[in-house]
Amino acid sequence: MISRELSHHSRKVLRRNNRRTAAPILPFFLLFIILSLIFYGIAQLPLPEGSPSSRSQSSLTDTNLLKAASQPSVPSASPVASQISQSSQAAQPKSLSAGEDVPWNLVLVNPWNPVPEDLSVTLTHLKNNQAVDERCYPDLQKMMDGCRAAGLSPRICSSYRTMEKQQRLYQNQIQAMLNSGLSQKQAEAEAGKAVAVPGTSEHQLGLAVDIVDEQNQTLDESQEETAVQQWLMAHCWEYGFILRYPTEKSHITGIMYEPWHYRYVGREAAAEIYEKDVCLEEYLGKAG
Ligand SMILES: [Zn+2]
């Protein structure tokens, strides 16, 4: 009995002491919790556009691009590059206006549909003077990485072109045709099949790339046989790209077979175009 009483008494004393020490600490503890919550809330707020952190993110993207283009044999850089470019892409506003309700990735440019007049492209620059619309860059990077991971050596030899550049290429092509003995009219017609008439080239959208195999950088039908093209033709759709000018569709596209020219249309459209074995004109219901 005595011992039980004693222990009961000592518990009471202990409880009282606890209450005495707990009382002044409680407000400080609550204040600490509130301050922590406020601080956490501020830390979670999105960064304003152009803040130092978001700027450094896009410059990292450029660095990775440069790395990707200049060191084609380093696939190890790819996971980081993909992650960074994805987050920077999400922060970027849309920059291409087609003038109608066509999504930027499905704008049709061919001999009968010139590049929209109000076109403006925000470019991501690659090494070797190449550049693409920043919105197709992440998937392009992944496709190049995928191709390299398969042990191959793809090389982007042409990408975004200004009107001036397209004009220069077209004139050069006409000259080559004239040199081969064609009349001016014939030369222009033939040149237009190989190099799009200025103002009607997909390259002016920044969504087209010419990719060759480093083992064979000649732009002719021999590209088709290279390991790089075999891989790209089988896998480009997984990354949102299509082989834009297939051999059996020249009468619809107006452009000769080009087993090196890939156009970005987004993953959904690319998968459907690949599966149905159609060209972009057919997919958009604008064939002939
Ligand atoms: Zn091309």
Side-chain angles (χ1 to χ4, degrees), residues 36-62:
S36 302
L37 285 172
I38 290 171
F39 181 76
Y40 179 74
I42 289 170
Q44 294 301 304
L45 284 175
L47 286 163
E49 197 105 342
S51 68
S53 300
S54 65
R55 263 204 302 275
S56 69
Q57 226 174 32
S58 56
S59 68
L60 265 174
T61 305
D62 293 348

Side-chain angles (χ1 to χ4, degrees), residues 158 161 203 208-210 245 258 260-262:
S158 189
R161 291 176 198 158
H203 284 283
V209 278
D210 292 343
Y245 305 120
E258 291 195 352
W260 57 81
H261 179 112
Y262 295 86

Side-chain angles (χ1 to χ4, degrees), residues 209-267:
V209 278
D210 292 343
I211 305 175
V212 291
D213 193 317
E214 283 195 349
Q215 315 301 319
N216 173 10
Q217 301 193 23
T218 312
L219 289 181
D220 62 21
E221 290 197 13
S222 68
Q223 270 302 318
E224 182 189 64
E225 303 302 325
T226 65
V228 163
Q229 301 305 346
Q230 293 289 318
W231 189 93
L232 286 173
M233 286 181 193
H235 297 280
C236 64
W237 63 274
E238 296 167 21
Y239 304 90
F241 285 85
I242 55 166
L243 181 71
R244 180 68 176 89
Y245 305 120
T247 182
E248 75 279 13
K249 304 286 184 186
S250 295
H251 62 290
I252 303 172
T253 62
I255 302 288
M256 65 179 207
Y257 179 41
E258 291 195 352
W260 57 81
H261 179 112
Y262 295 86
R263 156 74 194 264
Y264 188 75
V265 292
R267 293 188 178 206

Side-chain angles (χ1 to χ4, degrees), residues 188-196 254-256 258:
E188 282 175 17
E190 286 307 306
K193 291 178 194 167
V195 178
I255 302 288
M256 65 179 207
E258 291 195 352

Side-chain angles (χ1 to χ4, degrees), residues 57-86:
Q57 226 174 32
S58 56
S59 68
L60 265 174
T61 305
D62 293 348
T63 312
N64 278 302
L65 244 179
L66 297 181
K67 213 189 282 173
S70 64
Q71 301 170 3
S73 55
V74 189
S76 59
S78 57
V80 181
S82 301
Q83 277 166 21
I84 291 166
S85 55
Q86 259 180 352

Side-chain angles (χ1 to χ4, degrees), residues 74-184:
V74 189
S76 59
S78 57
V80 181
S82 301
Q83 277 166 21
I84 291 166
S85 55
Q86 259 180 352
S87 55
S88 87
Q89 188 202 32
Q92 299 294 339
K94 289 192 172 189
S95 58
L96 180 136
S97 49
E100 48 181 305
D101 279 348
V102 178
W104 62 272
N105 51 312
L106 293 177
V107 171
L108 177 66
V109 170
N110 64 15
W112 311 279
N113 293 274
V115 174
E117 274 178 20
D118 57 350
L119 177 84
S120 74
V121 187
T122 306
L123 296 171
T124 300
H125 291 273
L126 292 77
K127 254 195 176 170
N128 305 323
N129 290 323
Q130 304 299 338
V132 290
D133 183 313
E134 62 174 7
R135 293 167 295 189
C136 77
Y137 160 71
D139 277 337
L140 175 62
Q141 176 72 69
K142 284 175 199 157
M143 184 167 77
M144 298 296 277
D145 288 341
C147 192
R148 285 172 192 135
L152 308 172
S153 307
R155 182 186 173 86
I156 296 172
C157 64
S158 189
S159 48
Y160 171 74
R161 291 176 198 158
T162 60
M163 184 64 143
E164 294 69 35
K165 175 84 183 282
Q166 190 65 28
Q167 259 156 356
R168 220 163 38 237
L169 292 173
Y170 183 64
Q171 284 306 324
N172 290 346
Q173 189 69 22
I174 288 178
Q175 194 55 52
M177 295 292 173
L178 287 172
N179 293 346
S180 73
L182 296 184
S183 70
Q184 179 72 29

